[in-house]
Amino acid sequence: MTALINAKGLVRCYEGQKSLFKRATPVRAVDGVDLTVAPGETLGIVGESGSGKSTLGRMLLGIDPPTEGHVTFDSQPMPPLQSPSWRTLRAQMQLIYQDPLAALDRRLTIADQIGEPLEIHGLAKGAELKERVADLMVQVGLRRDQGDRYPHELSGGQRQRVVIARALATSPRLLVCDEPVSALDVSIQAQVVNLLRDLQDSHGIAMVFISHDLKVVRNICDRVAVMYLGRIVEEASSDQIFASPQHPYSQALVSSVPVPGKALEGRILLKGEPPNPALRPTGCAFHPRCGSAVAACASAVPLLEPVAAGRSSACHLSSVSKGLAA
Ligand code: ADP
Ligand code: MG
């Protein structure tokens, strides 16, 4: 099947911090990422804060231009931000991010905000617009009569439902959800994740689901890409990642996911500093925090290579074991 999104060699540099005696050195927030998303598929992107997930998500939507590499949507090159063709494409790809209050306009009723994209893209007006808005509200679990409320009159979870309804209004083919439940109470996170999963399922929308919290992606993603310092270090099906993570970083992330009724006995605690692209270690960027690192890890960058059918890992140790097994 042709990919809906195809990203090749994506790099995104930011100007680093200047100091009095030093010129800013650019930091590579995303450092060579290839990925594809098939129509209707859900890809999870996980990793600690600072690993480049949000930057990658914005590049997939053409909001951040890549410093190197390119993105295609439906086999067409991503048009430049704000160009007429990008604006047209925007109806087909939507972004949902962490803070619904920041995404919403405090002065507009929620019905007006959900209807806005339909008006902007000329998809509905008058009575039809009203009906479409009411229908979207019901789809995301809001009541029709809540349409004349303002964002501050709703709970955090309800606000995120408004954002989701607005994102669905234009019948997108791709949703990028960047930490969509991280700002919500833990008690309602699962409800919103389930809602996204059901909508994704029933509408056949492809989804990129970004989270620093691996347990959030478990019930929603087909495939998971684990990022560390701007690179994908492991990619596999969601089941494979949870059952047998290959990369030591994925192993640490998986070990910290609580399993109901089980103590966190095998938890691998990550030592050292969280990832900072301004201080990228040599060789494998994860090696200073890795409990299994060998000498080669400090000098050579491991490539993301297939380790089994449908999965790849970027670790010298899996290359070694593969070499021994061959
Ligand atoms: P994540 O979403 O995984 O936390 P981000 O993509 O937000 O990662 O950030 C990756 C790195 O890029 C971080 O070190 C961050 O400080 C840096 N960064 C992100 N956005 C900018 C920006 N607009 N200007 C400068 N640096 C940025
Ligand atoms: Mg982020």
Side-chain angles (χ1 to χ4, degrees), residues 233-283:
V233 296
E234 179 163 2
E235 194 180 330
S237 74
S238 187
D239 292 344
Q240 288 168 331
I241 286 276
F242 281 95
S244 60
Q246 295 288 301
H247 194 283
Y249 181 56
S250 320
Q251 289 167 359
L253 294 183
V254 171
S255 80
S256 63
V257 173
V259 178
K262 254 182 79 180
L264 268 178
E265 49 202 33
R267 180 165 189 178
I268 306 166
L269 283 175
L270 279 169
K271 51 183 185 174
E273 295 293 310
N276 174 356
L279 304 167
R280 178 185 297 279
T282 55

Side-chain angles (χ1 to χ4, degrees), residues 6 35 62-64 76 83 85 88 117 119 122 126 141 149 154 186 211 213 217 228 231 241 246 255 259 273 296 318:
N6 195 351
L35 62 80
I63 296 170
D64 275 0
Q76 299 300 313
S83 63
S85 41
T88 311
E119 286 183 294
R149 304 254 178 104
L154 302 178
V186 174
S211 178
D213 186 350
V217 309
Y228 193 81
R231 299 202 178 130
I241 286 276
Q246 295 288 301
S255 80
V259 178
E273 295 293 310
S318 48

Side-chain angles (χ1 to χ4, degrees), residues 107-235:
R107 297 158 304 177
L108 293 181
T109 66
I110 63 172
D112 283 344
Q113 302 196 55
I114 295 170
E116 201 172 47
L118 290 166
E119 286 183 294
I120 290 177
H121 292 282
L123 297 171
K125 56 182 184 195
E128 194 200 343
L129 177 67
K130 272 195 172 152
E131 203 39 52
R132 293 272 290 273
V133 168
D135 180 47
L136 285 161
M137 289 182 61
V138 172
Q139 280 190 48
V140 299
L142 294 166
R143 292 192 320 270
R144 281 166 174 261
D145 64 314
Q146 288 174 311
D148 54 7
R149 304 254 178 104
Y150 290 87
H152 66 268
E153 297 177 300
L154 302 178
S155 70
Q158 287 171 329
R159 282 180 209 134
Q160 198 59 305
R161 287 172 194 267
V162 175
V163 172
I164 294 168
R166 192 175 59 178
L168 287 180
T170 55
S171 308
R173 295 165 70 200
L174 174 72
L175 268 186
V176 173
C177 302
D178 188 355
E179 309 270 6
V181 299
S182 304
L184 305 179
D185 274 4
V186 174
S187 58
I188 51 169
Q189 287 188 354
Q191 290 172 17
V192 175
V193 171
N194 290 343
L195 170 69
L196 282 167
R197 191 192 51 205
D198 293 347
L199 291 168
Q200 186 266 340
D201 236 20
S202 55
H203 295 250
I205 309 170
M207 188 150 91
V208 174
F209 193 102
I210 297 172
S211 178
H212 69 277
D213 186 350
L214 194 54
K215 72 173 180 301
V216 172
V217 309
R218 183 169 205 161
N219 292 324
I220 192 166
C221 295
D222 304 311
R223 264 187 316 135
V224 174
V226 178
M227 275 186 90
Y228 193 81
L229 267 181
R231 299 202 178 130
I232 294 177
V233 296
E234 179 163 2
E235 194 180 330

Side-chain angles (χ1 to χ4, degrees), residues 274-290:
N276 174 356
L279 304 167
R280 178 185 297 279
T282 55
C284 169
F286 183 60
H287 88 267
R289 303 174 76 191
C290 180

